[in-house]
Amino acid sequence: MSLRNSPVLHSIITKITGGFAILVVAIAVIGVYSYNSLNSVGGIARQLMDRDNSRSLVKDIIIKSKNIDSHVEKYLRSPDAEDRENLRYVIIDELRIIKEFLNQVHSRELIPEEHEMHSKLEKIFIKYDEAIRELFAGRFDREHFYFLNNKFITQMIHFDTRETELMYESWDYAIGRIGMIKIFIIVSITIALAIGVMLIIMSYRYVALPIRRLGAVLDRYGGGDFSVRATVTGKDEIGNFARRFNDMLGQIGDYARHIEETNRYLQQKNQEI
């Protein structure tokens, strides 16, 4: 039987390949987990950016609301019709921008709590817009307007405060998640390195070293020491290989002795002749 087709060699290669396959699977698991975790952190980063944008929009809305308050006061005090008409266009444009900002806030992914707060803002804004429209229709209720204006700004400040809290909560979660990923990667790499070192040690101890010993025995045998035999250290494939190796050496030794005896016998017969 050739060495290439030897079941012993096949078994050894299978074990070594299996060990390295375990190492490859461990590395793949580390990679997949790290990739998914980094994706989740990326999602949190997008949430942070969205909330930061929402906070900027809310601040702009508050500024626009205060501008409307100032424009309304000027509109009420101005006796000039042209000036009042210009202020009307300015106020309408400010309302349009506020509505657009509210739609931008609503367009991003909101949690239920944010949806509820945004719905309240939209309801207040509708009444706020109607109160301003009544100003242009000559049915303006100053007290009702300022009540809605203050309520709208207060609700916006509350929304901004909650967005800030959620942003910091997301930030803390992201930091914690990144810390977990670091720990997992460090532990996983340590385990993978330990597995790799174990495979190297086992490969050297149970494969390379016994084969080197067999090579040394073969060298001594080739040098004329026919009594040398390989040391059998176990019942595994290498141990079985060593036993078969010893059997082979024994058979070769028997053949050598038989040939030597035959040569001596022939030499004696030649001398007698």
Side-chain angles (χ1 to χ4, degrees):
M1 181 181 293
S2 66
L3 184 62
R4 178 178 298 178
N5 298 323
S6 171
V8 175
L9 181 61
H10 177 72
S11 179
I12 293 171
I13 294 173
T14 301
K15 286 187 175 182
I16 295 174
T17 304
F20 281 101
I22 293 172
L23 181 60
V24 170
V25 170
I27 294 172
V29 170
I30 295 171
V32 171
Y33 177 83
S34 301
Y35 177 78
N36 292 333
S37 299
L38 289 174
N39 274 344
S40 68
V41 172
I44 296 170
R46 287 189 293 271
Q47 289 181 1
L48 287 170
M49 292 177 63
D50 285 343
R51 290 201 168 102
D52 186 58
N53 290 333
S54 294
R55 291 177 67 235
S56 298
L57 290 171
V58 167
K59 286 179 172 58
D60 289 338
I61 291 172
I62 292 173
I63 292 172
K64 294 294 181 183
S65 300
K66 291 181 178 180
N67 288 342
I68 290 175
D69 183 22
S70 175
H71 294 324
V72 167
E73 282 297 323
K74 290 179 182 179
Y75 182 91
L76 292 171
R77 291 197 302 265
S78 177
D80 184 65
E82 184 179 353
D83 188 33
R84 288 163 67 92
E85 184 66 16
N86 291 333
L87 285 169
R88 187 176 75 86
Y89 283 123
V90 171
I91 292 170
I92 291 174
D93 190 58
E94 296 280 24
L95 287 172
R96 180 189 61 79
I97 294 172
I98 289 176
K99 186 175 182 180
E100 184 178 337
F101 285 169
L102 285 173
N103 289 335
Q104 288 181 28
V105 173
H106 187 263
S107 65
R108 71 176 185 83
E109 295 182 7
L110 301 175
I111 62 174
E113 181 183 359
E114 290 174 308
H115 268 296
E116 183 179 353
M117 295 174 66
H118 189 272
S119 297
K120 290 180 180 179
L121 281 171
E122 286 186 328
K123 291 177 182 178
I124 297 171
F125 177 73
I126 291 172
K127 294 179 180 180
Y128 179 68
D129 181 76
E130 290 174 353
I132 295 175
R133 303 287 177 178
E134 289 178 356
L135 169 66
F136 305 138
R139 300 187 303 271
F140 184 64
D141 185 342
R142 182 189 293 266
E143 184 176 346
H144 182 61
F145 168 75
Y146 284 115
F147 168 75
L148 290 174
N149 185 62
N150 291 332
K151 186 176 182 181
F152 183 63
I153 292 176
T154 301
Q155 191 67 27
M156 292 302 304
I157 293 173
H158 177 62
F159 186 82
D160 177 59
T161 302
R162 187 55 185 147
E163 284 292 289
T164 303
E165 292 173 353
L166 290 172
M167 187 176 71
Y168 281 113
E169 287 175 8
S170 298
W171 176 258
D172 291 339
Y173 177 78
I175 294 298
R177 188 71 176 172
I178 291 171
M180 289 177 60
I181 294 171
K182 287 180 179 178
I183 293 172
F184 175 81
I185 291 175
I186 291 172
V187 172
S188 300
I189 290 175
T190 302
I191 293 174
L193 288 174
I195 293 173
V197 171
M198 286 177 58
L199 288 173
I200 292 172
I201 293 174
M202 292 176 65
S203 298
Y204 177 77
R205 181 175 179 180
Y206 296 106
V207 178
L209 186 60
I211 290 176
R212 285 182 60 185
R213 289 172 178 169
L214 289 176
V217 169
L218 191 59
D219 289 339
R220 290 176 59 186
Y221 193 89
D225 186 1
F226 300 117
S227 63
V228 68
R229 292 292 183 272
T231 303
V232 179
T233 57
K235 296 181 179 181
D236 57 358
E237 288 79 2
I238 296 296
N240 292 331
F241 186 74
R243 290 188 189 90
R244 295 179 63 183
F245 187 76
N246 288 338
D247 292 341
M248 180 188 70
L249 294 182
Q251 291 176 0
I252 293 174
D254 292 340
Y255 292 148
R257 284 191 293 273
H258 177 71
I259 292 172
E260 186 178 354
E261 290 174 358
T262 302
N263 287 335
R264 283 200 300 268
Y265 174 77
L266 292 175
Q267 287 176 359
Q268 288 178 357
K269 289 297 183 180
N270 289 331
Q271 288 176 0
E272 290 176 359
I273 294 173

